[in-house]
Amino acid sequence: MKKNKIEISILMSVYNQTNHKALEQAIDSMLNQTFSNFEFLIYDDGSCEKERTFLQEVAKKDSRICLLRGKENKGLAYGLNQCLKQAKGRYIARMDADDISEKERLQVQKEFLDLHLEYAFVGTSAILFDEQGIWSVRNMIKQPRAKEFLKYSPYIHPSVMFRKKILEEVNGYQVSKDTLRCEDYELFMRLYCNGMYGYNIQQPLFFYREDRDWYDKRTWRQRIAEMKIRYQGFRKMGILNWKTLIYVGKPIGMMVIP
């Protein structure tokens, strides 16, 4: 019997994920989705021998998993682009190595994109958790406009499902030193500049692992790089002016102002 054509390609890039329990929970949450016609592309971004071996064992769990291997660590954007090159699905679903997806996530997002052709991608609201448990809910704006990009990215990157063709049209993720830790922010602004808009499902279909002080841990270099991304993105989106310059400097401001 002829196999059904793959509808969704799940993309995950992993680098030295030492929390094996979190990694298995993340992978299992995708393998146990109510929608099952997908492939799961996992890119090992140059992990050490121990973690590489563990990934190989985990990949044996399910025939839908395809493990790709990079010889050296080149960052999330590069890893996701390698997965994108191999993807066969018409939809691309993101997933990180330490988050958890609700079992209905893929089904709900696919049905939304099937019905709403005006949207290029769709994210969801999320429940925030860390090692101590659930600590908040992040309710994302339904239909973010350009101004919503001023404070922070209005989409939770690993919760998003894209139409594959729109990622191909913009040549995927930008790989550079400036986009490290900001590859999603840069991509979403670039999509908006090309008239490709997104939506956020209000139902929290995603458990997002986030430390309560995660932003405070960013280095000066990472903050300066984010300022560059903000400046370039705001300018291209037509929202850069003397009033919004304060948002360009937000990464540094949050470090020096308690």
Side-chain angles (χ1 to χ4, degrees), residues 61-79:
K61 281 189 172 191
D62 196 291
S63 61
R64 292 170 295 180
I65 296 177
C66 176
L67 182 61
L68 308 174
R69 166 73 174 166
K71 293 183 179 180
E72 58 182 293
N73 178 242
K74 292 189 176 182
L76 180 61
Y78 180 88

Side-chain angles (χ1 to χ4, degrees), residues 23 62 214 219 231 247:
L23 177 58
D62 196 291
W214 69 274
T219 65
Y231 179 84
Y247 293 103

Side-chain angles (χ1 to χ4, degrees), residues 102 104-105 108 123-126 139 200-206:
E102 288 279 17
E104 301 89 2
R105 177 195 159 191
V108 173
T124 83
S125 291
N139 295 309
N200 280 312
I201 293 168
Q202 297 302 282
Q203 182 182 356
L205 297 170
F206 198 71

Side-chain angles (χ1 to χ4, degrees), residues 87-180:
K88 300 182 181 71
R90 62 191 181 107
Y91 294 134
I92 300 295
R94 275 285 292 112
M95 185 62 186
D96 274 347
D98 58 356
D99 299 321
I100 300 171
S101 289
E102 288 279 17
K103 63 181 181 179
E104 301 89 2
R105 177 195 159 191
L106 294 184
Q107 184 76 49
V108 173
Q109 289 184 307
K110 178 187 178 296
E111 290 177 355
F112 178 89
L113 290 176
D114 284 345
L115 290 172
H116 299 276
L117 302 181
E118 68 272 27
Y119 291 107
F121 56 96
V122 59
T124 83
S125 291
I127 295 170
L128 306 184
F129 75 106
D130 58 17
E131 294 303 319
Q132 283 70 52
I134 294 171
W135 61 273
S136 188
V137 176
R138 184 167 295 167
N139 295 309
M140 308 304 289
I141 297 171
K142 270 188 183 182
Q143 299 167 288
R145 294 168 293 176
K147 69 175 185 178
E148 263 75 61
F149 283 87
L150 292 171
K151 291 183 178 180
Y152 43 73
S153 173
Y155 300 96
I156 297 174
H157 184 207
S159 81
V160 172
M161 181 182 287
F162 303 89
R163 298 186 192 278
K164 181 187 177 185
K165 64 179 181 181
I166 67 105
L167 288 180
E168 293 176 331
E169 285 177 25
V170 299
N171 297 315
Y173 293 86
Q174 180 178 311
V175 180
S176 76
K177 292 181 180 179
D178 288 343
T179 57
L180 288 175

Side-chain angles (χ1 to χ4, degrees), residues 193-242:
C193 288
N194 283 275
M196 302 171 182
Y197 306 120
Y199 185 93
N200 280 312
I201 293 168
Q202 297 302 282
Q203 182 182 356
L205 297 170
F206 198 71
F207 284 80
Y208 192 31
R209 188 184 298 269
E210 185 172 272
D211 292 336
R212 303 172 203 214
D213 59 348
W214 69 274
Y215 201 89
D216 295 335
K217 296 178 181 177
R218 291 202 168 187
T219 65
W220 276 94
R221 182 175 180 178
Q222 290 169 343
R223 291 168 187 265
I224 291 171
E226 183 181 342
M227 286 176 62
K228 291 180 182 178
I229 294 298
R230 284 171 171 267
Y231 179 84
Q232 295 166 0
F234 296 171
R235 180 173 56 81
K236 292 175 182 177
M237 293 176 77
I239 56 176
L240 182 67
N241 54 56
W242 66 272

